[in-house]
Each structure stands twice: as structure tokens, then as C-alpha cells.
Amino acid sequence: MLHLKVEKENAEKIRFKLMENRWLHPDFEIFSDGRYVYFPLKEGYESGENIVDIKGMFRKKKKNPYDKILEILHMDDNLKNKVPHHWEKYGDVVLIQLPEILYSYRKDIGRAFAEVLKAKSVLLYKGVEGEFRKPLVEFIFGNDAVTTHTENGIFYRFDASRIMFSSGNVDERIRMSRIDAVGERVVDMFAGIGYFSIPISKYCFPERVIAIEKNEEAYKYLVENIKLNGVSVDPILSDNRDVNIRDYADRVIMGYIHSEEFIPFAVRMLKQRGIIHYHDTWRKEQVKDRYETINSLFGDFNYSVLRFHIVKNYAPNILHVSIDLLIRKV
Ligand code: SAM
């Protein structure tokens, strides 16, 4: 295989030239022996002074998974271009979204994603619905979506076809695992499968974590995940409004984006002085007038804002926000 041998100092300049003239072989890796850099050349490059024929040492470039997926799929290039570059992978389950034009190819696409990403199931994701935030999905490969996803050193076991796991909230989950909650009593009002309560228990040295979840299925995985991670969290299967916790918590987590009506219940759970982590979805105008918006929500209480943060784009013109507030009841 012919390579152009170039002194390391000149490599960047030469690489640029080779790319400009399309002489660089796309399937092989550029490599270096420390002093020289070797550029793999396409066939037809004229032999010359610094051209060396290297046998055995050169390496084939690893194809990225997306290219491999496209390679497997038998469809026109204009359709291939519409195959999404993004997907979510939780343990061994993959979720993808497809434009309608690809629906009739969904099973082939599912098979290709499963093969390349080594997934046991591939789900076509169409959104989430209802108060339990249940995903709307269709199996396009496999039939079992119970999986164990690892994030930030935590194992989350859940059924990805029935319970949502928001990859867009990863920073928020990691942030919550680093809060200073030493010796605190923490109540997670919308615990799900333990998104926040498990990392807090594992990393933040609280006195106690109570995790409330209303959906029986999510609760089942919450209990399983507490065991799986060997943490101390007290799970409660209930609507959080029916749980009799008063003047108890140093910190209440409201990790649910429709939680406005739950604010009085969160405040009731707090000690005389405590922190609320509030999540919501706001229009961009509300974000612009954030202090007015916050006041319309918390104005009945003595509050101060500790932190305001945009978690992610939620929908066109809608943002997922999180706010940390200090509440004083007297
Ligand atoms: N914060 C999560 C993350 O990082 O991906 C996502 C939010 S989680 C899906 C919200 C949970 O709140 C759901 O499991 C839902 O069942 C639960 N929930 C909704 N209303 C509730 C209520 N009134 N009481 C207790 N749990 C509730």
C-alpha cells in the first residue's frame, strides 16, 4: 500500500493539500512512527521521492456505526440520507425516530440498527403521553425492552417500551448527584425509577431519602434499582399529594415538568427553611421574563432563587427549565 512519508512538522500542511486534491485514501488510517507521518494514498498517485510501499503496518479505518448501518440497508441513496444520525441507547435497547417516508422500511432499519449497535430490541419512538410520561413506541426489532442502563456509576433497570428515560436530563441527573446534601432529609416527589433519588443517596451522604412514585410499574423498577445499587432510599407508592409528610424535608425534588399544582404540597413537606428543585416547561417569553414567571408561581411564599437553568429544548418555542429555590416558611 503506497503511503506518502512526511516529516512530522510538515504533516498538517501536507494533510491539508492531500485532502484538497483528494489523494488521501478514505478507508485507511494515517499513522506515525514518531518522526514521520504516513499518509495512505489512493491508487493512481504517481510514485515519487517520499512515496513508500508499506506492507502489513497500515490499518483499515474503523467505520463509524452510522456508516455501517447505511451499508447494510438496501435502499436508494436519497432515502438513506433520511436515516437519522441520532439515536438513544439504554443498555441493549435502542430508540430511534423516523420520518414518515421511512416507515415502510422500519423493520429493515430496526434490524440494521440492532446488528450494528448490538441491541436486542429497537423501538420506534413517537413521543410520551399522560401523567406517567409513558413512551409511545413500536418494536421494529425484537420484543423485549427490559434493560439495565448505566449512567454516572448508577444502574437503572427499566422497560424502555413502558417507562421514559430522558437522555436530555443527563446533566441534571449528574448535577443532582453532586449537590451538598450531607445529613439532609431529601424527598423526591416524582421519583420514577430513581433518576435523582438513587444518585443522591449514593453520592451525597444524606440522612434519609424518601422517593414517592405513583405509577406501579415505575415503582417496581424503583424498588429493584434501590437494591441493584445497594443504596438506602425509602420508596413510597402513592400520589405525592396523599403522603403525609409535613415540616420534615431539607430538600424536595420536583422532577416533573407539569408540577405547578404540586408547589403547595412541596412547601408543606419542607422544614421551616429548605430547598426546592423545581422543573417546568416554559415558553421562551416566560423564560425571558423569568423573575415574573417565578413570582407568579412562588409569590405566595417567602422565596429566593438560588439558580435558574435551561435543561433543554422541549418542543418548538418551549424550554425545559429547572429552578433551585430557598423557601423560608416564617
Ligand atoms: N426526571 C426524570 C428524568 O431525569 O428522566 C423524568 C421525570 S419522571 C418520568 C416523572 C415521574 O413522576 C413519573 O414516573 C410519573 O409516574 C411520576 N408522577 C407523576 N405524577 C405523580 C404524582 N402525583 N405523585 C407521584 N408521582 C407522580
Side-chain angles (χ1 to χ4, degrees):
M1 168 107 216
L2 292 187
H3 283 71
L4 180 64
K5 181 180 171 185
V6 176
E7 300 244 13
K8 219 174 166 183
E9 303 79 71
N10 302 324
E12 204 39 42
K13 201 169 62 196
I14 301 289
R15 186 178 70 89
F16 191 70
K17 273 200 178 149
L18 286 171
M19 281 175 60
E20 210 173 39
N21 297 316
R22 298 174 189 274
W23 278 115
L24 205 54
H25 202 304
D27 297 338
F28 294 94
E29 281 184 355
I30 300 167
F31 67 94
S32 167
D33 62 7
R35 180 159 174 210
Y36 294 102
V37 176
Y38 298 83
F39 292 99
L41 298 168
K42 282 184 185 167
E43 275 175 35
Y45 194 91
E46 279 180 36
S47 299
E49 222 183 304
N50 297 321
I51 305 293
V52 288
D53 191 2
I54 295 180
K55 294 189 174 58
M57 252 173 82
F58 56 87
R59 264 182 295 159
K60 218 165 172 159
K61 227 185 216 172
K62 276 199 197 133
K63 289 212 173 86
N64 69 41
Y66 184 70
D67 289 342
K68 284 191 198 160
I69 288 165
L70 293 193
E71 213 171 77
I72 295 174
L73 287 170
H74 298 291
M75 54 171 78
D76 289 348
D77 280 354
N78 65 327
L79 286 174
K80 277 191 183 182
N81 287 338
K82 301 204 162 49
V83 174
H85 288 257
H86 302 289
W87 56 83
E88 305 295 345
K89 189 163 187 248
Y90 302 118
D92 49 6
V93 174
V94 169
L95 277 87
I96 55 171
Q97 285 180 282
L98 290 179
E100 242 175 85
I101 194 166
L102 291 179
Y103 270 30
S104 52
Y105 298 90
R106 61 193 187 282
K107 297 276 174 185
D108 292 335
I109 294 172
R111 203 174 312 116
F113 272 77
E115 187 179 324
V116 173
L117 302 174
K118 312 238 174 304
K120 69 172 177 184
S121 291
V122 180
L123 306 173
L124 178 58
Y125 175 82
K126 298 170 182 172
V128 281
E129 62 168 6
E131 81 174 316
F132 293 159
R133 314 285 299 138
K134 193 169 173 268
L136 293 166
V137 296
E138 176 190 337
F139 279 91
I140 55 173
F141 183 86
N143 53 21
D144 172 13
V146 177
T147 189
T148 307
H149 179 61
T150 310
E151 177 190 276
N152 189 23
I154 308 285
F155 304 115
Y156 294 101
R157 190 154 178 82
F158 67 109
D159 183 340
S161 69
R162 303 184 56 82
I163 287 169
M164 69 159 287
F165 191 96
S166 174
S167 60
N169 295 354
V170 56
D171 292 347
E172 202 56 19
R173 285 189 293 272
I174 291 177
R175 177 176 83 92
M176 293 303 281
S177 74
R178 295 181 180 153
I179 53 167
D180 180 1
V182 178
E184 287 188 4
R185 295 171 183 171
V186 180
V187 176
D188 187 352
M189 281 178 84
F190 303 91
I193 60 169
Y195 310 99
F196 294 132
S197 44
I198 293 177
I200 289 179
S201 174
K202 179 160 176 162
Y203 297 122
C204 305
F205 305 99
E207 178 192 306
R208 187 179 182 200
V209 180
I210 297 174
I212 308 167
E213 172 54 48
K214 186 179 177 184
N215 174 6
E216 280 187 31
E217 194 160 14
Y219 177 81
K220 185 188 100 179
Y221 285 109
L222 170 66
V223 172
E224 203 173 324
N225 289 327
I226 292 168
K227 282 203 198 101
L228 194 62
N229 288 281
V231 292
S232 166
V233 172
D234 297 326
I236 298 178
L237 174 63
S238 171
D239 187 307
N240 51 41
R241 290 166 290 196
D242 301 332
V243 176
N244 189 18
I245 297 178
R246 286 164 195 268
D247 306 319
Y248 177 80
D250 296 286
R251 198 178 285 270
V252 171
I253 305 163
M254 303 179 75
Y256 181 57
I257 47 174
H258 311 289
S259 55
E260 179 176 345
E261 62 177 290
F262 298 89
I263 292 172
F265 298 92
V267 174
R268 192 173 76 180
M269 289 180 185
L270 282 180
K271 283 179 181 168
Q272 296 303 61
R273 188 177 185 279
I275 290 171
I276 288 183
H277 298 277
Y278 179 77
H279 287 245
D280 209 340
T281 44
W282 287 357
R283 293 186 315 281
K284 284 188 175 150
E285 306 86 75
Q286 289 177 290
V287 174
K288 220 170 123 220
D289 302 328
R290 67 192 67 171
Y291 288 104
E292 248 171 65
T293 315
I294 294 170
N295 206 47
S296 71
L297 293 166
F298 288 91
D300 289 345
F301 308 101
N302 180 353
Y303 74 91
S304 45
V305 176
L306 302 175
R307 178 182 185 267
F308 174 88
H309 181 65
I310 294 168
V311 178
K312 61 179 187 281
N313 284 318
Y314 183 74
N317 199 40
I318 308 278
L319 299 165
H320 173 178
V321 300
S322 84
I323 311 159
D324 300 347
L325 306 110
L326 175 67
I327 308 281
R328 291 183 198 84
K329 291 209 229 174
V330 281

